[in-house]
């Protein structure tokens, strides 16, 4: 079945956020590549994974062991012209299962799709990730759960963003967000 880039991205987000690894095969090619560029010490990931099973292990299985209440939104949506490549900024929030601490971060996705619409390569850049005490869980999740999911605008993100210390870096990142020129 031919998938659109938006379908593949939505399926990936649903798989990751909902801890549904079986969905990853609907988004990723069997031999897909994952590259992680992590610019923070607040979270860690392996730098690469190859194959849909390995990608699901990193982004769903292992991630789901440590985190819950996961919400990911993309700050732009692929158009029909983005059938091969699509880049967008993203925002994520989650809580740690172990202690309830909240993490909110932002970065960039760079997607490469095959002719069937499945993801052949995904580069995830984590530019900022801040940690908040468990006391911020309700305010953070109330804000995130009100966002249009999984596609929203920077204005949507900024509207109602909690004012706790540490959100200033997230706010500054989102404010500087501009449309990313797409490769043709």
């Amino acid at each position: 079945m031919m998938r659109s880039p938006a379908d593949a991205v939505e399926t990936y987000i649903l798989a990751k956020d909902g801890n549904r690894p079986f969905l990853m095969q609907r988004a990723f090619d069997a031999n897909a590549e994952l590259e992680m560029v992590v610019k923070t010490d607040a979270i860690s990931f392996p730098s690469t994974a190859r194959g849909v099973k390995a990608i699901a292990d990193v982004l769903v299985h292992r991630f789901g062991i440590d985190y819950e209440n996961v919400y990911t939104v993309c700050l732009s949506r692929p158009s029909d012209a983005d059938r091969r490549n699509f880049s967008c900024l993203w925002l994520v929030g989650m809580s740690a299962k172990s202690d309830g601490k909240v993490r909110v971060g932002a970065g960039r996705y760079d997607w490469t799709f095959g002719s069937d619409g499945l993801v052949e390569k995904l580069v995830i850049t984590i530019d900022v990730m801040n940690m908040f005490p468990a006391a911020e869980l309700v305010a953070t999740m109330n804000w995130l759960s009100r966002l249009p999911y999984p596609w929203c605008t920077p204005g949507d993100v900024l509207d109602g963003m909690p004012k706790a210390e540490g959100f200033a870096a997230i706010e500054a990142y989102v404010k500087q967000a501009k449309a990313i020129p797409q490769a043709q």
Side-chain angles (χ1 to χ4, degrees):
M1 176 171 99
M2 178 72 154
R3 302 185 57 81
S4 73
D7 291 337
V9 173
E10 286 179 14
T11 302
Y12 154 74
I13 290 173
L14 184 61
K16 181 183 70 66
D17 289 5
N19 195 15
R20 296 178 180 101
F22 77 94
L23 289 175
M24 293 295 271
Q25 66 188 348
R26 296 183 193 171
F28 287 84
D29 180 79
N31 298 310
E33 297 175 54
L34 170 68
E35 181 181 336
M36 299 289 300
V37 180
V38 182
K39 300 178 180 179
T40 175
D41 293 330
I43 198 163
S44 65
F45 286 95
S47 59
T48 61
R50 186 175 203 57
V52 69
K53 291 181 96 170
I55 293 169
D57 185 53
V58 169
L59 297 178
V60 182
H61 287 292
R62 286 194 256 165
F63 188 77
I65 290 170
D66 295 327
Y67 300 104
E68 61 189 0
N69 298 311
V70 182
Y71 282 91
T72 305
V73 292
C74 295
L75 303 186
S76 60
R77 183 183 183 109
S79 71
D80 289 340
D82 301 321
R83 296 224 44 100
R84 181 71 178 141
N85 298 292
F86 173 64
S87 297
C88 68
L89 298 180
W90 54 262
L91 175 90
V92 68
M94 67 201 96
S95 60
K97 288 182 177 179
S98 63
D99 59 13
K101 288 185 180 175
V102 177
R103 284 179 173 77
V104 178
R108 177 180 167 135
Y109 287 136
D110 292 293
W111 304 88
T112 303
F113 304 97
S115 59
D116 57 2
L118 294 175
V119 179
E120 290 182 342
K121 183 171 184 176
L122 172 58
V123 178
I124 302 174
T125 303
I126 303 173
D127 287 315
V128 61
M129 181 71 64
N130 289 341
M131 290 189 288
F132 303 92
E136 294 299 325
L137 178 66
V138 172
T140 302
M141 291 303 140
N142 283 341
W143 162 62
L144 289 169
S145 66
R146 288 185 191 120
L147 294 175
Y149 186 84
W151 313 104
C152 70
T153 67
D156 293 330
V157 170
L158 296 171
D159 186 34
M161 179 181 281
K163 300 300 180 199
E165 186 176 330
F167 274 96
I170 304 295
E171 182 178 4
Y173 187 89
V174 172
K175 282 183 176 177
Q176 64 82 37
K178 296 178 179 65
I180 298 172
Q182 302 298 312
Q184 299 302 324

